Amino acid sequence: MTSAARPFEHDGIAFGCDYNPEQWTPDVWDEDIRLMGEAGVDLVAVNIFGWSHLEPRRGAYDFAALDDIIGRLHAAGIRVNLGTGTASPPAWLTRAEPDILPIAEDGTRRYPGGRQAWCPSSPAFREAALRLVDAVGRRYGDHPAVALWHVSNELGCHNALCYCDASATSFREWLRARYDTLDALNAAWGTAFWSQTYGEWDEILPPRATLSTRNPGQMLDFHRFSSDELLGYYRAEADVLRGVSAIPVTTNFMVTAHIENLDYWSWADDMDVIANDHYLDHRLADPTAELAFAADLSRGLGQGAPWILMEHSTGAVNWQPLNKPKAQGEIIRNSLTHVARGADGVCFFQWRASVQGSEKFHSAMLPHAGTDSAVWREVVELGAIVDRLGEVAGSRVEAQAALVFSWESWWATQTDSRPSQSLGYLDQVHAAYGALHALGLTVDIVAPGAALDAYALVVVPGLHLVRAAEAAVVTDWIAAGGTALITFYSGTVDQDDRVWTGGYTGPFREALGIRVEEFAPVAPGTTLQLDDGSTSTLWSERAQPTTAAVAASFTDGPSAGSPAITRNAWGDGAAWYLATQLEPAGYRDLMGRIAEEAGVRPAARVTGGGGAIEIVRRRAADASYLFVVNHGDAAASVEVSGHELITEMPVAGNVDVPGGAVRIIREEAAA
Ligand code: GAL
């Protein structure tokens, strides 16, 4: 957090939702607020999409309804997470100023009728939006109900990359600031290739659709620019708010599967509190592990400080190919997994299910079926549990392991041309995290270059783009006694997407004691056999160990005979390398072996549970809390003594955790 951070303070763990009262009449508001009380809701986000209600015509403001709703919430003792209302421009604005509308990479315009139809570089949009922010900020800036400013909504969810002329102008300015000279830009982008050399700044465009593959350096910088551009927009709104109000400011991040366009490492310091939206993605192999990863990354963005889960769902979403409801107890398990991993707030999208609009089939706390429903009963049960967890707020998660995560590597990996179109950065991160998760190990997610001294084990999955100094943090830490696992495609290019030559893994090569000569990916569905009995897929490499010991080799496929898993003693530590994507069981076994070598263990001893137990410790100055989430059907027993906060029972020696249950134990003595 910045030194200017204004702490978000709340009594206990916040419990809340997005609330869109403009979709309902005031008699419904009365019922809503009564039911919010029944559920224990104490933090409500309003005015997220409020613009056309607050400013129905340019400069003509109407705050009556918002005044009313904030007043009602306040009277009920519910705090307000106040949207600035700028998430979607009103129709009068885009009609008057059509240049606000984004342009896709093929030059086609994106029209109003959905949401977020604005270009991040549009001066007209920014001017109109900041006028609204100023008006909202002045009106509610010291309202006693308002606990938090919620800037816009999920910035960049749909509009992160705009290719219009205004974006082109801003992109050039950004590039001038980064490179100073065209020579430096030409060198960074490798424009000697395909006659792409630029002689004037005005020749440079965003990477609009081309006939062939596009310049990867240009694409990488366009990603960096686009992330910075929206951060600049966030800052503009936040500056207005900070000028008129002392209330903390944040925006809801999208640390969730498949959203790649914003480098939140560079955004995080601007938030007074990290807030994240997370939705289970049933297209993934292990949605629960991804939830845990997203929660750990949210915590990592705040350098370990508690954060707020600003949105998740009570059931199905409306935007996946198949939208699944949650199983019985899953709302509670998911919510408490976020709390276990550092969330001091659990909020949902949304309070009452819409009956119209694009999201009418999206779940809510109060479903279409009403209060006589399993979802409502579980929401009320969760509210009561959250209420009992107040003492946990402010405590911090303990982790012995770290995983290095990089949006830049994500962008660089996913450019148009790569060794295999089936290779995805996030897939590799999820695979490595999944192995740690299956072992019940708690992991901090850290940025490249972050200090690693606090950890005994570091995992570096597919860190394709790496600067020498960032790699050195890892290799120096290994030399000082650390144990690391680095996986294939790591250390392939530098910050300009320029290949590190002399054998792949570049700046990791010496510490790994291996020279990778050629990549040899295999078609999806192909199984590769390793001589330790494990199997893998997706990737193989032709490599020579220099000083590393070979733990397993490929016995078939294009790299038969070449090492697949190696271990190199490096200084006082050990550098493991994995040159393929192991099948999940094999990955877990390998990770288990490495974790054991590093002395890394789960937060407590678990018996039973069929491998579906999540176990995390949060520690405060004078207490610690062990969270146990049983995602499976098999009962588990966990070694711990203290007081269980959900059942409100003492625990001596062991706690039983039935299938599907969660237990949170205030521990008797530091474990
Ligand atoms: C988020 C968004 C909400 C709602 C939700 C549905 O992206 O912030 O407004 O659309 O998803 O899952």
Side-chain angles (χ1 to χ4, degrees), residues 24-43:
W24 307 97
T25 49
D27 54 311
V28 179
W29 302 353
D30 289 337
E31 187 190 29
D32 284 334
I33 288 171
R34 180 176 61 75
L35 290 173
M36 284 176 186
E38 208 173 302
V41 163
D42 62 9
L43 182 68

Side-chain angles (χ1 to χ4, degrees), residues 90 98 113 146 195 199 213 242 287 319 331 349 369 396 430 448 467:
V146 181
S195 185
T213 47
R242 292 197 170 107
W319 43 263
I331 300 174
F349 177 87
R396 292 194 170 221
H430 285 165
R467 295 163 180 81

Side-chain angles (χ1 to χ4, degrees), residues 138-211:
R138 285 177 194 281
R139 189 162 190 95
Y140 303 108
D142 57 7
H143 193 294
V146 181
L148 188 60
W149 285 111
H150 181 299
V151 166
S152 190
N153 188 60
E154 290 190 341
L155 286 161
C157 178
H158 311 284
N159 67 346
L161 307 178
C162 177
Y163 298 80
C164 75
D165 289 342
S167 301
T169 304
S170 297
F171 184 37
R172 282 179 210 121
E173 281 163 18
W174 184 93
L175 290 167
R176 271 180 191 264
R178 182 176 176 89
Y179 293 109
D180 198 24
T181 67
L182 274 175
D183 284 349
L185 177 139
N186 280 312
W189 287 10
T191 56
F193 180 79
W194 279 357
S195 185
Q196 291 173 347
T197 308
Y198 294 102
E200 303 278 345
W201 290 97
D202 285 347
E203 293 164 4
I204 301 170
L205 296 170
R208 293 176 179 155
T210 50
L211 290 170

Side-chain angles (χ1 to χ4, degrees), residues 18 20 48-49 115 150 153-154 157-158 252 254 277 279 311-313 316-319 349 359 362:
D18 273 26
N20 296 300
I48 306 296
F49 295 99
R115 68 174 175 186
H150 181 299
N153 188 60
E154 290 190 341
C157 178
H158 311 284
N252 45 346
M254 297 166 286
D277 295 352
Y279 292 94
E311 290 181 23
H312 71 152
S313 72
V317 296
N318 63 306
W319 43 263
F349 177 87
E359 293 181 330
H362 194 290

Side-chain angles (χ1 to χ4, degrees), residues 38-63:
E38 208 173 302
V41 163
D42 62 9
L43 182 68
V44 165
V46 292
N47 196 41
I48 306 296
F49 295 99
W51 198 338
S52 67
H53 300 271
L54 292 186
E55 193 182 4
R57 281 170 295 112
R58 193 191 286 272
Y61 296 110
D62 179 358
F63 289 109

